[in-house]
Amino acid sequence: MTSHSHLPASLARLGEFGLIQEIQRRFGRTDRSVVKGIGDDTAIVNINAKTSLLLTTDLLAEDIHFDRQIHTCEQIGYRAAVANLSDIAAMGGTPLYALVALAIPPGYSPRDICNVYAGLMQAFKHAGVSLLGGDTSAAMHGLIISITLIGRAQPNAALRRDRARIGDHLYVTGTLGDARAGLQILKTCKSLKKQKRLRKDERFLVQRHLRPTPRIALGLHLAERQRATAALDISDGLSGDVAHLCQQSKVGALIMANAIPLSPALQAYAAKSRQDARALALSGGEDFELIFTSPRSSRDELARVARRLAVKITCVGEIKPPSFGIQLKHPDGSYRKVIKTSYDHFSA
Ligand code: ADP
Ligand code: MG
């Protein structure tokens, strides 16, 4: 038997990201065709002088990522597709082909599974993705949907996490925290009847959770015009994902709290539910918006692109030297270290 020395006894101690680091360190060696293996939103493999392949996989597990009491099968499929599409968007690539693996527990009918696919294919068709295959198994407990998505990018143009430079501006797309608030709202009204009675801004937040938008067109533009130095999508919350970007790029970052884009609906909901809207935006995962860094000189061009593609783009801070760490400047002028509040599957 192989001995795996110096590993903590429990996954809770090691944490999700610690585990991935250990896997990478022990088993992640690759050959020269691999431009980037473990560590980014997708892997990058050079096929020929004209094409790089982007490869990613993301799975959704019942009762971890979705709850049958509050999500329909179609909604589950749609979100599973977007989680993968968003990773290709974050690399500035074009999504192309999908493989879908299912482990199905008792309690799901053929119609339920076709509804999962209807949701999946809605998101995939819109993005021009073809379903090429997959795998099907029974499961003891809980549906698992695992998707592998393949995309393409121009060689050396993919938007990696590890190329941010000191002095770059830090941008985010859309508004943040909406998806977390939408999920909180859904959890309080488990019947469809109750969902129909929601106020307009609550319905907006619920839709942001159920039907997130992968920012594919913007990612493509940033990559093809080389307007971003680094990018990733927000799956773990702004604070956690800026930390991933900083760790990979070996830099620090300043985030201006009052610049974080918040929707009016989130602000109204936060006030009503006595929560801090900015805290929701900093820790709320699965907005599937993009974080990217760009030289100051690109500012005007980015404003034009935002208008043309109808995507809100907001500068929320700046890349700093590593010694700066990650700090949040509050509206009162004080600085605080950003505590990573993103979701860890094992420590949570
Ligand atoms: P994302 O949130 O963008 O999907 P993750 O946090 O899931 O990214 O993963 C971070 C990186 O670690 C990615 O490059 C991913 O491919 C890699 N990774 C995650 N889990 C594993 C695993 N079990 N084995 C190998 N690599 C993994
Ligand atoms: Mg990602």
Side-chain angles (χ1 to χ4, degrees):
M1 210 168 84
T2 319
S3 97
H4 295 295
S5 52
H6 310 302
L7 279 172
S10 78
L11 285 172
R13 284 258 314 271
L14 187 56
E16 177 189 345
F17 301 104
L19 176 65
I20 294 172
Q21 266 174 23
E22 281 299 328
I23 293 171
Q24 178 177 21
R25 194 172 66 79
R26 290 162 191 257
F27 310 107
R29 210 159 294 153
T30 54
D31 73 45
R32 285 220 321 238
S33 65
V34 180
V35 180
K36 181 83 198 186
I38 294 171
D40 219 305
D41 293 290
T42 75
I44 311 172
V45 178
N46 274 350
I47 290 300
N48 56 39
K50 284 193 186 145
T51 314
S52 295
L53 279 190
L54 305 176
L55 301 113
T56 183
T57 185
D58 248 296
L59 75 74
L60 263 61
E62 184 167 351
D63 295 334
I64 302 287
H65 299 96
F66 61 88
D67 177 346
R68 268 195 105 185
Q69 301 236 1
I70 58 177
H71 297 106
T72 66
C73 286
E74 208 170 322
Q75 289 164 350
I76 294 164
Y78 190 90
R79 295 190 73 249
V82 170
N84 285 273
L85 290 169
S86 179
D87 278 325
I88 300 274
M91 302 300 284
T94 306
L96 296 173
Y97 308 117
L99 302 166
V100 179
L102 295 179
I104 309 170
Y108 281 83
S109 68
R111 177 184 284 207
D112 291 333
I113 299 306
C114 283
N115 281 333
V116 170
Y117 271 80
L120 268 175
M121 292 315 292
Q122 221 181 81
F124 279 160
K125 272 205 184 120
H126 190 72
V129 171
S130 313
L131 174 68
L132 297 194
D135 195 21
T136 308
S137 158
M140 295 297 279
H141 313 281
L143 180 71
I144 292 176
I145 309 172
S146 170
I147 300 179
T148 301
L149 192 61
I150 297 167
R152 125 170 87 70
Q154 288 169 10
N156 305 318
L159 306 173
R160 303 166 54 139
R161 294 179 177 184
D162 58 4
R163 298 282 158 92
R165 289 179 301 214
I166 296 163
D168 282 349
H169 280 170
L170 181 69
Y171 292 90
V172 297
T173 60
T175 53
L176 306 187
D178 296 339
R180 165 66 64 87
L183 178 60
Q184 285 184 2
I185 293 166
L186 272 182
K187 282 182 174 165
T188 62
C189 52
K190 293 206 165 173
S191 73
L192 267 177
K193 215 162 150 197
K194 271 193 180 166
Q195 280 185 36
K196 286 203 175 112
R197 273 192 250 124
L198 289 173
R199 293 202 325 266
K200 196 175 158 207
D201 51 358
E202 290 172 328
R203 277 209 304 273
F204 166 85
L205 296 171
V206 165
Q207 281 307 306
R208 292 272 294 154
H209 164 73
L210 293 177
R211 296 190 75 84
T213 310
R215 301 295 186 185
I216 296 169
L218 178 70
L220 263 174
H221 179 96
L222 295 174
E224 285 176 357
R225 304 282 173 87
Q226 303 190 354
R227 291 290 181 241
T229 46
L232 76 170
D233 68 329
I234 303 185
S235 51
D236 290 323
L238 180 66
S239 63
D241 284 312
V242 166
H244 291 146
L245 184 130
C246 287
Q247 190 185 16
Q248 288 271 325
S249 292
K250 302 191 172 59
V251 293
L254 169 65
I255 304 173
M256 314 287 285
N258 61 1
I260 297 172
L262 306 172
S263 66
L266 180 74
Q267 294 181 57
Y269 169 75
K272 199 171 144 235
S273 59
R274 295 171 186 231
Q275 297 183 79
D276 180 350
R278 280 199 197 99
L280 283 168
L282 279 163
S283 67
E286 303 194 322
D287 280 312
F288 297 116
E289 296 293 348
L290 299 185
I291 299 174
F292 65 94
T293 56
S294 196
R296 286 159 184 264
S297 55
S298 295
R299 207 179 175 130
D300 294 344
E301 147 87 8
L302 288 174
R304 280 195 296 276
V305 175
R307 275 197 300 276
R308 187 161 64 75
L309 298 178
V311 181
K312 185 178 165 71
I313 297 179
T314 310
C315 178
V316 295
E318 194 182 315
I319 296 301
K320 296 284 190 188
S323 57
F324 186 85
I326 305 173
Q327 295 187 48
L328 190 66
K329 186 176 181 193
H330 285 263
D332 66 7
S334 66
Y335 288 77
R336 261 166 257 168
K337 273 213 167 323
V338 172
I339 301 158
K340 198 176 141 192
T341 46
S342 62
Y343 188 78
D344 183 308
H345 276 278
F346 305 119
S347 316

